[in-house]
Amino acid sequence: MQFIDLQAQYKHLKSKIDARIQTVLDHGKYIMGPEVFEFEEILSDYVGVKHVISCANGTDALQLALMAMEIGPGDAVFCPTFTFFASAEAITFVGATPIFVDADVTTYNICPVDLEKHILKAKDKGKYNLKAIMAVDLFGLPANYPEIQSLADKYQLMIIEDAAQGFGGSINGQMAGSFGTIATTSFFPAKPLGCYGDGGAIFTDNDKHAELIRSLRVHGKGSDKYDNIRIGMNSRLDTIQAAILLEKLSAFPDELIARQIAAEKYNKELSMYNDIVTPYVPDGYTSSWAQYTIKSENRDSYMKKYKEKDVPTVIYYETCMHQQTAFKGLENITDEFSRAESLSKSVFSLPMHGYMDN
Ligand SMILES: *Cc1c(COP(=O)(O)O)cnc(C)c1O
């Protein structure tokens, strides 16, 4: 059995995807071809935001968002310690300082109570300009944006939604990718909406940010790519990937339903084990089930039993950001992150995709 069965999906969509790729080979516009703009438009309708700017991957998407917000040296950005490395990496890469925040005990997302504690502490110290909160929709579940937004308003911070895993999730009908000042996602093959290589996108309703990001993704272009008015990046979504994503996006709503059904089946079957905690989804929230992640004090023995049955399991994440070697110099890593640390010792994820059989 596969952890994420990309082949099953390809079999299902093969004729459509093959035809889309062939179209690109025929017209030959490999960079910024028509499929890129078609995909951006359909994606903006799906998520419900004014602007979608595609780019080369989800990490670049975060970096482009931070650059557009003019976040850099001397600034600080709050982000969860229980996340994938890229979230915190992008903050550091633009020269800003990440301030880590502990996880919520039930959702595993950034904890708003601990967030406010860290905001007050950092304000008190006065060492950095406090600029933004980077919230991550971990395992597919949107972070607590109602609470995060009220803290952002109270302390005048911007919000970046890292929806690399959350794409497809929602809160009371509002789609992941539409929260905060700028949101980002990744089309890495194993993400809820994945392409056949690297890809990413940035979402915003703000015209100024959108215009800046369109320039930044093509070497800081002005009127054309040989008129360079700022320092940017080379970060474009390949036309072939956009063509593949057009077909994958049209199958995506059905896949979300299939993931939901699989998650409910897991919940039901696992409810009889009293040493396993199944995922918690608050009222009004839907998860895209990027991962189906359970928690148990007996993780090792369960993982071993699954392995014996040829069921692959993976630990996301064994190392919190405050424990990463790359962040060794940061002051905030000595704070208490007891919930994130306990999660890193007890969670593991089961196979999940849109083509699972009973
Ligand atoms: C995958 C991921 C990213 C980075 O996406 P890439 O396309 O691999 O660069 C960023 N943040 C989170 C939470 C992710 O899961």
Side-chain angles (χ1 to χ4, degrees):
M1 156 167 216
Q2 302 266 321
F3 189 69
I4 296 175
D5 195 343
L6 295 174
Q7 280 306 319
Q9 184 198 43
Y10 178 59
K11 264 187 208 144
H12 187 72
L13 301 173
K14 183 178 183 338
S15 58
K16 289 175 180 165
I17 288 177
D18 290 358
R20 281 281 189 182
I21 293 173
Q22 190 59 52
T23 304
V24 177
L25 296 175
D26 290 339
H27 70 53
K29 298 188 180 79
Y30 302 119
I31 302 292
M32 295 300 224
E35 285 81 359
V36 173
F37 301 99
E38 191 186 340
F39 175 61
E40 288 179 345
E41 212 168 301
I42 295 173
L43 200 58
S44 91
D45 281 346
Y46 180 79
V47 171
V49 290
K50 194 166 169 196
H51 304 284
V52 172
I53 305 105
S54 60
C55 65
N57 58 68
T59 309
D60 281 6
L62 289 169
Q63 195 183 321
L64 286 162
L66 291 160
M67 287 166 84
M69 291 168 152
E70 296 180 54
I71 292 173
D75 299 334
V77 177
F78 299 91
C79 85
T81 187
F82 192 60
T83 182
F84 178 58
F85 186 66
S87 321
E89 181 185 32
I91 297 167
T92 313
F93 201 81
V94 298
T97 301
I99 296 180
F100 299 124
V101 178
D102 207 355
D104 180 279
V105 72
T106 54
T107 64
Y108 311 164
N109 276 324
I110 190 167
C111 169
V113 176
D114 197 56
L115 173 59
E116 185 162 30
K117 216 180 78 190
H118 284 284
I119 294 172
L120 290 171
K121 190 172 168 187
K123 251 176 103 76
D124 205 41
K125 270 196 169 169
K127 185 166 172 190
Y128 301 108
N129 304 314
L130 308 182
K131 282 289 184 69
I133 302 159
M134 183 184 286
V136 178
D137 304 336
L138 199 70
F139 306 145
L141 182 71
N144 187 346
Y145 292 103
E147 294 275 334
I148 293 166
Q149 187 65 58
S150 71
L151 289 175
D153 294 342
K154 189 169 168 187
Y155 297 105
Q156 296 180 352
L157 300 166
M158 295 180 281
I159 297 174
I160 303 153
E161 177 193 4
D162 180 352
Q165 300 178 21
F167 185 84
S170 59
I171 305 176
N172 297 321
Q174 188 181 342
M175 298 301 287
S178 68
F179 297 100
T181 321
I182 299 184
T184 65
T185 198
S186 161
F187 306 121
F188 182 83
K191 306 283 175 174
L193 179 65
C195 57
Y196 290 155
D198 279 309
I202 299 140
F203 307 86
T204 184
D205 283 326
N206 182 306
D207 297 341
K208 199 178 131 258
H209 285 148
E211 193 190 325
L212 250 174
I213 294 165
R214 286 201 176 95
S215 161
L216 288 167
R217 78 169 160 181
V218 187
H219 304 291
K221 77 180 169 80
S223 53
D224 64 61
K225 70 173 170 177
Y226 300 109
D227 171 34
N228 307 96
I229 57 177
R230 57 179 65 85
I231 300 299
M233 298 170 69
N234 173 18
S235 186
R236 296 167 296 218
L237 181 69
D238 290 343
T239 309
I240 285 185
Q241 300 302 344
I244 292 160
L245 283 164
L246 278 165
E247 287 310 323
K248 292 232 205 172
L249 184 57
S250 67
F252 188 66
D254 285 342
E255 292 179 3
L256 276 181
I257 294 169
R259 285 170 180 271
Q260 186 61 37
I261 291 168
E264 279 162 19
K265 191 167 168 68
Y266 272 139
N267 287 342
K268 187 164 163 278
E269 301 288 333
L270 293 170
S271 66
M272 63 188 77
Y273 298 88
N274 56 23
D275 61 346
I276 288 179
V277 180
T278 54
Y280 172 70
V281 179
D283 266 357
Y285 284 62
T286 56
S287 175
S288 61
W289 299 110
Q291 302 295 342
Y292 183 87
T293 302
I294 59 180
K295 190 169 77 168
S296 176
E297 296 310 316
N298 304 313
R299 175 168 76 184
D300 291 351
S301 85
Y302 275 119
M303 287 180 75
K304 196 167 151 258
K305 282 182 198 159
Y306 275 114
K307 196 173 176 189
E308 281 161 15
K309 302 259 181 204
D310 194 31
V311 176
T313 58
V314 183
I315 299 173
Y316 299 115
Y317 296 93
E318 260 191 301
T319 308
C320 300
M321 290 310 106
H322 68 277
Q323 300 164 324
Q324 290 284 3
T325 310
F327 294 126
K328 229 165 40 190
L330 296 177
E331 287 164 45
N332 145 267
I333 57 172
T334 54
D335 289 354
E336 192 198 311
F337 302 102
S338 55
R339 282 163 288 168
E341 284 177 19
S342 134
L343 289 172
S344 70
K345 293 187 189 103
S346 56
V347 294
F348 66 106
S349 304
L350 300 177
M352 172 54 83
H353 55 86
Y355 300 84
M356 289 176 75
D357 61 28
N358 232 10

